[in-house]
Amino acid sequence: MNEQVQPAGGPLFNPLSPDFIRDPYPHYERLRTVDPIHVTPFGQYVASRHAEVSLVLRDKRFGKDFVERTTRRYGPEIMKEPVFRSMSYWMLQADPPDHTRLRGLVVKAFTARRVEDMRPRIQEIVDQAIDAVIERGHMDLIEDFAFRLPVTIICDMLGIPEEHREVFYKSSRDGGRLLDPVPLSPEEIRQGNAANLMAQMYFQQLFELRRKNPGDDLITQLVQAEEDGNKLTNEELTANIILLFGAGHETTVNLIGNGLLALHRNPDQLALLKAKPELMTNAIEEFLRYDSSVQMTGRVTLEEIEDLGGVTIPKGETVLCLLGSANRDGAVYPDRPDRLDVTRANVKPLSFGGGIHFCLGAQLARIEAEIAIATLLRRLPDLRIDDIETPEWRPTFVLRGLRRLPASW
């Protein structure tokens, strides 16, 4: 099923084309129908159906093998680039036993109880964001609303002092390209290195501060684990704080933004949710399914896989799992999967991944989105999004989100 069935509309999987970024879902449907295990020009296998995606995420025959995979794509010198070197220490890119050790050090900060206890603080931040703009009658739902909440919460959790935060609120949101399946240009690598080195410099100073003045925060916990030499090296510490900071806000900003856009594009669902706020918890699951903030995650075959959707995949190959596509697979959601339905039963989106890499912050993201969207509907019931037809998407594929979303009331 290769080149000869390429439809007239160009390549089956061209994730950075503007058309794909605007609306990937018709492209996914084509992939699921025509070529469910698709091979890209870079030799990656792309899984688009729910059955194969959920298997790859949970099956121990698939891993991350980040250094080997990246070296094969970019050549033997690539690990000298600071940004790739840093990513090689991310627990997101690690396999056991390193993954188990790193995740074990941070998992305590994300327990259900800890996260539930943050509800009042989350509510306070959301209310402050609305208070700041309510008299103006307009705002950008991304910058003025969706962005401030998760950034503030992750700063709280990491122990980033109040007086340092303004720079984080203003920092650019263009790190997402690092995760895309299309290789980075030399210029993009240069920018990635610069941003990574700035972050490293900042966090190294913060570690010093927390060694002298410990706090009740994650960085203090990790600095103490680093002093217990066999638990954490300084490079691992720095890289994983950068990961937690990025993962701790990027995806939640997109969940809130994509969810609000979806609601306003479906006025019947918006009206239903305003009338029945108790549907909000289920609605969040549906937003995750309908337009996932993370569209894709990757694994590497640790041995030959004989039959993934009818295809044999040799050892050492990359398999890209299209989470956004699996979430709309009619085999799992037979009732009009392309429709937003906040009352949909049995919604179990794959948006947080699965297996050992299941998102640490899943419950935190859900609660942040739930409080943010519920409060907005309650306090600004007549809010209108200025342009629901052609909003401006960020030019990244793996992290799907809006660059801005102006609204008024």
Side-chain angles (χ1 to χ4, degrees):
M1 283 218 190
N2 280 351
E3 275 43 50
Q4 66 271 32
V5 288
Q6 285 221 342
L12 270 173
F13 182 62
N14 183 14
L16 292 185
S17 71
D19 185 48
F20 204 106
I21 288 197
R22 191 168 54 249
D23 184 6
Y25 298 103
H27 301 268
Y28 292 157
E29 191 172 0
R30 229 166 51 170
L31 276 169
R32 289 193 303 270
T33 312
V34 177
D35 196 5
I37 302 291
H38 172 72
V39 184
T40 74
F42 301 110
Q44 304 148 319
Y45 292 78
V46 180
S48 51
R49 293 189 303 207
H50 191 283
E52 287 82 20
V53 168
S54 53
L55 178 120
V56 171
L57 293 177
R58 295 177 174 88
D59 191 313
K60 291 190 166 53
R61 296 172 301 166
F62 298 86
K64 287 289 186 171
D65 206 9
F66 177 77
V67 174
E68 170 60 30
R69 185 178 88 211
T70 309
T71 305
R72 193 154 21 121
R73 188 198 274 179
Y74 289 99
E77 299 294 294
I78 192 66
M79 283 304 154
K80 293 183 180 161
E81 302 286 356
V83 68
F84 284 101
R85 206 181 146 76
S86 177
M87 283 169 79
S88 73
Y89 293 106
W90 286 4
M91 69 180 104
L92 179 65
Q93 304 291 8
D95 291 308
D98 285 339
H99 173 266
T100 318
R101 173 175 57 85
L102 292 168
R103 188 170 171 119
L105 292 171
V106 299
V107 70
K108 291 189 285 293
F110 292 93
T111 59
R113 164 98 193 278
R114 265 253 162 114
V115 171
E116 272 301 319
D117 287 347
M118 290 156 81
R119 276 183 186 271
R121 173 68 174 141
I122 294 169
Q123 184 66 60
E124 174 191 25
I125 299 161
V126 171
D127 280 323
Q128 283 170 353
I130 295 175
D131 290 344
V133 296
I134 196 162
E135 295 302 315
R136 276 205 328 230
H138 62 88
M139 69 166 146
D140 172 5
L141 284 168
I142 303 302
E143 188 183 339
D144 297 324
F145 184 69
F147 187 63
R148 284 195 90 87
L149 166 64
V151 172
T152 306
I153 289 292
I154 199 70
C155 285
D156 283 358
M157 292 180 79
L158 292 176
I160 293 174
E162 290 283 346
E163 61 273 19
H164 296 177
R165 293 186 184 186
E166 209 43 49
V167 62
F168 289 105
Y169 293 129
K170 294 206 164 32
S171 66
S172 71
R173 296 173 57 224
D174 45 20
R177 263 293 278 133
L178 290 172
L179 301 169
D180 283 334
V182 178
L184 298 171
S185 67
E187 175 57 22
E188 286 175 314
I189 291 175
R190 200 184 61 70
Q191 288 170 357
N193 285 339
N196 182 264
L197 289 169
M198 288 285 288
Q200 286 198 36
M201 279 163 52
Y202 172 72
F203 285 117
Q204 297 286 347
Q205 290 173 337
L206 188 54
F207 301 155
E208 283 310 309
L209 181 68
R210 288 292 167 250
R211 286 187 187 103
K212 294 193 194 86
N213 309 322
D216 178 23
D217 56 65
L218 199 47
I219 284 181
T220 301
Q221 255 182 49
L222 292 177
V223 164
Q224 287 163 354
E226 183 205 22
E227 284 157 9
D228 178 9
N230 58 358
K231 284 196 185 158
L232 197 63
T233 67
N234 188 267
E235 282 196 298
E236 287 175 329
L237 172 61
T238 313
N240 281 288
I241 291 294
I242 292 172
L243 167 67
L244 285 170
F245 184 80
H249 74 279
E250 280 282 5
T251 47
T252 308
V253 175
N254 295 349
L255 169 57
I256 295 169
N258 298 2
L260 287 169
L261 178 65
L263 271 182
H264 284 263
R265 283 177 161 178
N266 293 273
D268 60 319
Q269 297 298 298
L270 178 60
L272 181 59
L273 205 47
K274 281 180 182 168
K276 296 188 166 174
E278 66 274 13
L279 291 172
M280 186 56 77
T281 312
N282 196 68
I284 299 298
E285 299 309 296
E286 176 69 347
F287 299 149
L288 285 161
R289 183 198 72 81
Y290 181 77
D291 200 6
S292 178
S293 342
V294 181
Q295 289 284 312
M296 188 201 84
T297 185
R299 297 289 188 272
V300 172
T301 50
L302 303 178
E303 57 185 74
E304 182 182 275
I305 306 295
E306 288 211 334
D307 177 14
L308 187 71
V311 177
T312 295
I313 304 182
K315 178 182 175 181
E317 297 295 336
T318 297
V319 181
L320 304 178
C321 297
L322 297 180
L323 306 172
S325 174
N327 282 341
R328 293 208 190 185
D329 188 336
V332 181
Y333 300 104
D335 183 25
R336 296 169 65 196
D338 286 324
R339 183 172 160 266
L340 183 76
D341 176 5
V342 298
T343 65
R344 190 183 296 274
N346 301 317
V347 189
K348 296 191 173 61
L350 291 176
S351 311
F352 292 118
I356 63 168
H357 290 282
F358 183 80
C359 174
L360 260 176
Q363 202 45 29
L364 176 59
R366 285 182 171 116
I367 291 176
E368 287 181 340
E370 183 190 317
I371 292 175
I373 295 174
T375 307
L376 193 70
L377 299 190
R378 189 179 73 243
R379 292 195 55 191
L380 296 173
D382 56 347
L383 177 133
R384 298 260 179 292
I385 290 174
D386 298 356
D387 177 7
I388 59 170
E389 293 309 317
T390 54
E392 194 180 337
W393 293 95
R394 294 170 62 196
T396 51
F397 158 62
V398 171
L399 297 180
R400 174 168 171 78
L402 294 149
R403 182 166 268 170
R404 54 181 68 86
L405 194 59
S408 40
W409 54 94

